[in-house]
């Protein structure tokens, strides 16, 4: 079946009528574009200069006002700067702006980039970021997101690690001195950032941490590494779901007991670690393992078993190196590789560190951003592989709050520990992890201290 096309013939009056409507619609459209342009775009040109301003297109009035004021001040500075210049060269001076917007549930962020040409071979780039905090309904900056006065220093350390890693991974050979000076503890150095799903993204404009050719450097810091650095309400991530599921002991039953923390370094191992785990319930004991990151994968089943039973898993670094002999990047690498390996197995972040040989200093503590657990009872179990001797030493030196150093590489160490538990139990001792000990004693551990005992 065919449709017949109907041709509509317009009268002369109809043609005029429709044309008028058309013109009307187009003019309304043009007007609205014009006012839109007027609101967000400005061009100004003279013999001497060209100004092109692209205002951030957002709905939020505070952000618009803040942006306009900031740009206005920069524009005035630009005009003042070129006013004095009488030597007109062929190229016009320029002032141009561009921007990026990020937005999530909690905040709206604007990253403004201003390019100025005031002679010479290059544009000058200025970066400026600011954020609108939706809860508090105000414009804020990086310092408003930081937990306390030490946070910026810690953020600088983590950033240093990720910038150097970026350099390594991209074969860029960043100059370490330049990176460090670009990351000095100054809020201005950490002004440009975005809270995205995967973590905190920080942007370093060209020339801040690397040469111009490297361009803008972006790093991404996972939220779990920003605990205690960025205020927790901005750490928008699901903490390990079973973070404390493993710690279901009722600690009240220990409140009247003397407490002692058995800690085992250098493992896990198959025979010794599992022998210990097999016997802990006999003494209602839980212990702390400071594991080597390099062993975690090989003994992941044993480690998972230890964790699931409610023992505390801490880090003894990746390769058992004396941290005080390493540069900052390698210190961070030893720490992070181990923490990542542990998390892979336990799905939980570890906050406890035992530096190899007990060697650490304030800079390393700051880089690690963990609780530093040393010991006060050194059994020397690696030297004297004699359970009786190990047990005697522990029992003779035991006191409330003590931290005992052992190694779950040797069965003799495990036997000695179990023997000591059997005897100490009769003296009213309970065997707890470092974390449990701090909770029972109501002590808030601090990250910039070494703990030899907990009391
Ligand atoms: Ni060790």
């Amino acid at each position: 079946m065919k449709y017949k096309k109907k041709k509509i013939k317009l009268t002369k009056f109809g043609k005029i009528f429709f044309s008028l409507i058309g013109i009307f619609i187009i003019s309304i459209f043009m007007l609205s574009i014009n006012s839109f342009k007027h609101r967000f775009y400005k061009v100004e040109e003279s013999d001497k200069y060209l100004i092109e301003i692209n205002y951030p297109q957002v709905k939020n009035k505070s952000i618009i006002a803040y942006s306009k004021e900031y740009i206005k001040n920069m524009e005035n500075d630009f005009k003042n700067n070129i006013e004095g210049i009488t030597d007109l060269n062929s190229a016009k001076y320029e002032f141009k702006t561009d921007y990026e917007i990020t937005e999530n549930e909690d905040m709206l962020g604007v990253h403004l980039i201003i390019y100025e040409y005031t002679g010479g071979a290059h544009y000058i780039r200025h970066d400026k970021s600011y954020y609108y905090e939706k809860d508090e309904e105000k414009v804020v900056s990086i310092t408003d997101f930081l937990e306390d006065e030490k946070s910026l220093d810690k953020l600088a350390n983590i950033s240093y690690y990720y910038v150097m890693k970026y350099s390594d991974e991209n074969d860029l050979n960043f100059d370490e001195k330049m990176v460090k000076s670009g990351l000095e503890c100054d809020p201005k150095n950490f002004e440009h950032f975005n809270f995205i799903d995967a973590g905190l993204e920080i942007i370093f404009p060209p020339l801040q941490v690397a040469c111009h050719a490297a361009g803008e450097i972006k790093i991404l810091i996972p939220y779990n590494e920003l605990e205690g650095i960025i205020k927790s309400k901005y750490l928008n991530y699901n903490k390990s779901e079973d973070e404390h599921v493993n710690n279901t002991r009722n600690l009240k039953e220990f409140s009247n007991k003397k407490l002692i923390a058995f800690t085992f370094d250098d493992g896990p191992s198959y025979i010794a670690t599992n022998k210990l785990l097999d016997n802990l319930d006999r003494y209602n004991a839980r212990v702390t393992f400071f594991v080597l990151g390099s062993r975690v994968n090989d003994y992941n089943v044993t480690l998972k078993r230890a964790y699931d039973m409610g023992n505390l898993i801490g880090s003894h670094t990746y390769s058992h190196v004396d941290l005080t002999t390493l540069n900052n990047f390698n210190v961070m690498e030893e720490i992070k590789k181990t923490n990542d390996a542990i998390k892979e197995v336990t799905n939980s972040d570890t906050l406890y560190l035992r530096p190899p040989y007990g060697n650490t200093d304030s800079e390393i503590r700051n880089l690690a951003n963990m609780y530093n657990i040393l010991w006060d009872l050194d059994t020397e179990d690696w030297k004297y592989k004699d359970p009786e001797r190990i047990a005697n030493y522990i029992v003779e030196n035991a006191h409330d709050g003590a931290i005992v150093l052992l190694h779950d590489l040797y069965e003799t160490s495990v036997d000695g520990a179990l023997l000591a538990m059997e005897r100490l139990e009769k003296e009213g001792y309970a065997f707890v992890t470092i974390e449990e000990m701090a909770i029972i004693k109501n002590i808030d551990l601090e990250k910039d201290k070494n703990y030899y005992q907990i009391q």
Side-chain angles (χ1 to χ4, degrees):
M1 194 170 153
K2 279 188 175 177
Y3 290 98
K4 269 191 178 173
K5 270 190 182 171
K6 262 193 182 175
K7 216 175 182 184
I8 300 170
K9 275 197 173 173
L10 289 175
T11 61
K12 202 176 180 186
F13 175 75
K15 280 181 185 166
I16 293 171
F17 179 74
F18 281 108
S19 325
L20 281 175
I21 289 201
I23 290 168
F24 180 71
I25 291 174
I26 290 169
S27 351
I28 293 281
F29 183 69
M30 295 296 282
L31 274 173
S32 65
I33 284 192
N34 240 343
S35 69
F36 188 74
K37 266 195 169 175
H38 182 70
R39 194 170 172 206
F40 290 116
Y41 199 68
K42 168 182 161 178
V43 181
E44 188 182 313
E45 192 165 10
S46 77
D47 297 345
K48 204 171 177 184
Y49 63 79
L50 171 66
I51 292 174
E52 269 181 38
I53 297 174
N54 208 353
Y55 294 105
Q57 285 187 32
V58 290
K59 284 182 186 149
N60 185 286
K61 283 183 183 157
S62 306
I63 282 282
I64 293 174
Y66 189 92
S67 306
K68 289 204 163 170
E69 173 155 11
Y70 183 81
I71 293 172
K72 185 80 214 158
N73 288 337
M74 293 293 287
E75 187 190 342
N76 288 342
D77 286 351
F78 166 76
K79 284 181 177 169
N80 289 338
N81 271 340
I82 59 169
E83 196 158 306
I85 308 172
T86 44
D87 165 40
L88 268 182
N89 67 17
S90 54
K92 268 188 188 179
Y93 301 125
E94 288 183 11
F95 181 90
K96 295 183 175 181
T97 73
D98 203 354
Y99 64 89
E100 273 169 30
I101 288 175
T102 44
E103 185 166 14
N104 63 26
E105 262 173 58
D106 308 309
M107 73 192 83
L108 173 70
V110 174
H111 180 181
L112 260 186
I113 304 165
I114 298 177
Y115 299 96
E116 271 186 63
Y117 180 74
T118 53
H122 295 291
Y123 277 87
I124 303 166
R125 171 176 160 164
H126 308 271
D127 290 65
K128 172 77 185 168
S129 287
Y130 38 91
Y131 303 83
Y132 184 78
E133 225 280 9
K134 292 176 182 172
D135 270 3
E136 298 184 8
E137 299 186 358
K138 63 172 185 181
V139 179
V140 293
S141 66
I142 179 72
T143 36
D144 296 283
F145 297 98
L146 297 173
E147 182 84 48
D148 59 36
E149 71 280 1
K150 288 176 193 159
S151 302
L152 195 59
D153 203 22
K154 290 177 182 170
L155 187 63
N157 287 333
I158 299 189
S159 302
Y160 168 79
Y161 172 76
Y162 280 104
V163 169
M164 292 308 285
K165 197 172 158 199
Y166 179 96
S167 161
D168 267 14
E169 285 170 359
N170 296 287
D171 279 330
L172 290 169
N173 281 319
F174 287 174
D175 174 34
E176 202 172 324
K177 271 188 196 155
M178 185 169 180
V179 174
K180 277 189 176 160
S181 82
L183 296 177
E184 265 166 22
C185 191
D186 178 342
K188 277 189 186 160
N189 288 335
F190 303 91
E191 199 188 87
H192 319 292
F193 56 88
N194 298 307
F195 289 95
I196 61 176
D197 285 350
L200 178 67
E201 180 183 72
I202 308 184
I203 301 139
F204 303 106
L207 283 174
Q208 183 179 337
V209 293
C211 65
H212 201 274
E216 193 177 79
I217 312 295
K218 266 187 196 178
I219 60 168
L220 180 68
I221 307 176
Y223 286 123
N224 64 332
E225 294 180 21
L226 294 162
E227 292 268 5
I229 297 174
I230 298 291
K231 286 178 185 161
S232 57
K233 72 167 173 171
Y234 302 107
L235 298 181
N236 209 352
Y237 74 109
N238 296 325
K239 295 183 183 178
S240 317
E241 278 159 24
D242 61 346
E243 193 164 17
H244 285 288
V245 166
N246 75 325
N247 193 356
T248 51
R249 296 219 285 176
N250 180 4
L251 299 181
K252 276 186 188 147
E253 64 175 302
F254 304 120
S255 55
N256 295 321
K257 300 248 179 181
K258 289 181 277 185
L259 304 177
I260 188 159
F262 284 74
T263 65
F264 293 86
D265 288 9
D266 297 3
S269 69
Y270 187 75
I271 294 175
T273 309
N274 280 296
K275 185 171 189 180
L276 179 65
L277 297 177
D278 287 343
N279 288 286
L280 287 178
D281 278 344
R282 281 166 57 192
Y283 309 107
N284 193 18
R286 292 295 177 266
V287 300
T288 304
F289 294 98
F290 290 105
V291 300
L292 287 178
S294 57
R295 296 178 70 92
V296 164
N297 192 36
D298 288 346
Y299 298 94
N300 63 70
V301 176
T302 302
L303 183 67
K304 181 83 166 79
R305 181 183 175 211
Y307 173 78
D308 286 345
M309 281 175 64
N311 297 292
L312 181 66
I313 312 300
S315 161
H316 194 39
T317 75
Y318 198 82
S319 51
H320 207 278
V321 63
D322 180 347
L323 294 175
T324 59
T325 65
L326 299 182
N327 67 24
N328 289 359
F329 179 71
N330 290 329
V331 168
M332 301 278 280
E333 203 169 34
E334 282 284 327
I335 306 279
K336 287 198 185 303
K337 271 168 79 182
T338 310
N339 292 358
D340 289 349
I342 293 172
K343 187 167 186 177
E344 188 75 19
V345 176
T346 64
N347 193 27
S348 168
D349 294 308
T350 184
L351 289 170
Y352 297 84
L353 173 67
R354 171 160 289 160
Y357 317 102
N359 290 348
T360 184
D361 57 36
S362 63
E363 194 174 3
I364 292 167
R365 283 192 292 272
N366 202 354
L367 288 169
N369 197 29
M370 296 170 78
Y371 302 121
N372 299 276
I373 310 300
L374 285 87
W375 60 87
D376 64 348
L377 265 63
D378 184 357
T379 60
E380 295 185 288
D381 60 326
W382 52 273
K383 201 191 307 179
Y384 307 108
K385 297 205 175 77
D386 174 358
E388 189 63 34
R389 185 192 166 110
I390 292 167
N392 283 341
Y393 174 82
I394 298 171
V395 174
E396 277 163 26
N397 294 284
H399 63 87
D400 182 38
I403 301 175
V404 185
L405 170 63
L406 289 147
H407 298 83
D408 55 332
L409 294 177
Y410 319 110
E411 263 188 280
T412 45
S413 302
V414 168
D415 291 340
L418 294 170
L419 202 53
M421 285 178 185
E422 191 180 313
R423 295 177 191 167
L424 289 172
E425 196 180 31
K426 290 173 190 142
E427 293 181 23
Y429 277 95
F431 315 106
V432 294
T433 69
I434 297 290
E435 188 171 65
E436 288 175 331
M437 198 181 247
I439 293 170
I440 297 164
K441 289 177 175 288
N442 207 7
I443 290 169
D444 278 333
L445 295 176
E446 292 167 42
K447 290 177 175 170
D448 52 2
K449 270 170 81 169
N450 285 342
Y451 288 92
Y452 300 91
Q453 44 187 258
I454 292 176
Q455 48 202 358

